[in-house]
Amino acid sequence: MSEQKPALYGYFRSSASYRVRIVLEIKGVEYDQKIVNLLKKEQFSEEYKKVVPTQKVPAFVTKEGRVILQSQAIVDYIDDVYPGPSLYPKDPLDRAYVREICQIIACDIHPLQNLGVLQRVAPDNQEEQNAFAKEMITKAFYGLEARLAKVSSKYSFGDTLTMADVFVVPMVYNAMRRDVDMSQFPILSRLYDTVSALPEFKRASPSAQPDCPPELK
């Protein structure tokens, strides 16, 4: 099978896509961006459905042309395949703690503020959608903040950048979009300020993406 440049199907404000962009930047991987505008419902097009039957973003096409779905599977694949320091600790228990933080965000928090859920909760009412997302994130952040108090230091897990940071930064970005009062969460706020300032995270940020509207840059 011939090789090609890998490609990422995503959307600038999709926090799951944001996670993948961060890891690609950390690993220094050159890739093509395939924009899927969620607000225009391009994920439901027949063309996209042929590539991604789940009609979600992100989707990653490897250099061999294989398609991987789900951000956790994608970032773990990139971490395994591309050179550079691993984003997981070597110790099995430490690895479990990093995965725990990732899963708290990916499984417990992120789904409840996803676009499809918000549109179901309050169809055509962005104010109510925002209020629901704000409430859900705020409630969940109390638990996440308490957990991070046990394991974080300079970064989300100890003093080394890990996959936990890859998940924390986009989630806090979403929280700020929803006007969550981040003064309640000093650890998450500090981590966001520290990690989002790293060059790789800046390049992966929503405002740096080609599909970000000029007024949001």
Side-chain angles (χ1 to χ4, degrees):
M1 185 178 293
S2 61
E3 292 189 355
Q4 58 191 3
K5 187 184 292 187
L8 173 65
Y9 287 86
Y11 180 60
F12 81 105
R13 265 187 170 171
S14 158
S15 58
S17 302
Y18 192 176
R19 298 167 194 158
V20 179
R21 293 196 303 264
I22 291 169
V23 177
L24 288 166
E25 291 293 343
I26 291 172
K27 293 287 186 172
V29 181
E30 292 187 9
Y31 66 101
D32 290 327
Q33 288 217 47
K34 306 289 187 181
I35 307 304
V36 182
N37 192 317
L38 302 184
L39 294 183
K40 293 182 179 179
K41 300 184 178 181
E42 291 177 354
Q43 70 272 31
F44 300 122
S45 71
E46 287 302 315
E47 181 181 1
Y48 187 64
K49 189 177 179 179
K50 291 176 184 176
V51 180
V52 184
T54 58
Q55 299 175 292
K56 304 283 187 181
V57 296
F60 184 71
V61 183
T62 72
K63 58 187 179 181
E64 298 83 13
R66 302 290 183 87
V67 179
I68 305 174
L69 311 181
Q70 292 295 328
S71 65
Q72 182 80 69
I74 296 169
V75 295
D76 283 353
Y77 170 83
I78 296 168
D79 190 44
D80 288 339
V81 168
Y82 289 94
S86 174
L87 290 168
Y88 288 101
K90 291 183 179 180
D91 180 79
L93 182 59
D94 290 347
R95 291 173 73 89
Y97 283 141
V98 169
R99 287 195 170 104
E100 174 189 281
I101 295 167
C102 295
Q103 291 301 298
I104 289 171
I105 292 168
C107 299
D108 296 343
I109 306 176
H110 177 262
L112 290 175
Q113 50 87 70
N114 219 1
L115 181 62
V117 171
L118 297 182
Q119 290 176 339
R120 177 68 175 176
V121 168
D124 303 318
N125 191 321
Q126 290 190 351
E127 186 175 341
E128 288 186 14
Q129 290 176 13
N130 190 72
F132 179 83
K134 180 179 178 180
E135 178 185 357
M136 294 298 102
I137 295 171
T138 300
K139 286 181 178 179
F141 267 15
Y142 285 112
L144 179 58
E145 178 87 358
R147 198 67 184 115
L148 287 168
K150 301 289 186 181
V151 299
S152 67
S153 182
K154 178 180 179 181
Y155 295 110
S156 298
F157 184 82
D159 293 320
T160 303
L161 192 73
T162 67
M163 197 65 78
D165 300 294
V166 171
F167 280 68
V168 164
V169 166
M171 193 66 250
V172 175
Y173 169 83
N174 276 7
M176 294 190 299
R177 275 188 61 213
R178 303 299 181 183
D179 300 320
V180 171
D181 178 8
M182 290 303 298
S183 67
Q184 305 168 89
F185 311 110
I187 297 173
L188 281 163
S189 297
R190 176 183 57 78
L191 290 170
Y192 180 83
D193 290 343
T194 298
V195 182
S196 66
L198 297 174
E200 299 88 347
F201 283 71
K202 284 185 175 180
R203 292 194 296 269
S205 68
S207 62
Q209 303 316 303
D211 56 326
C212 179
E215 65 271 18
L216 297 178
K217 288 185 179 290

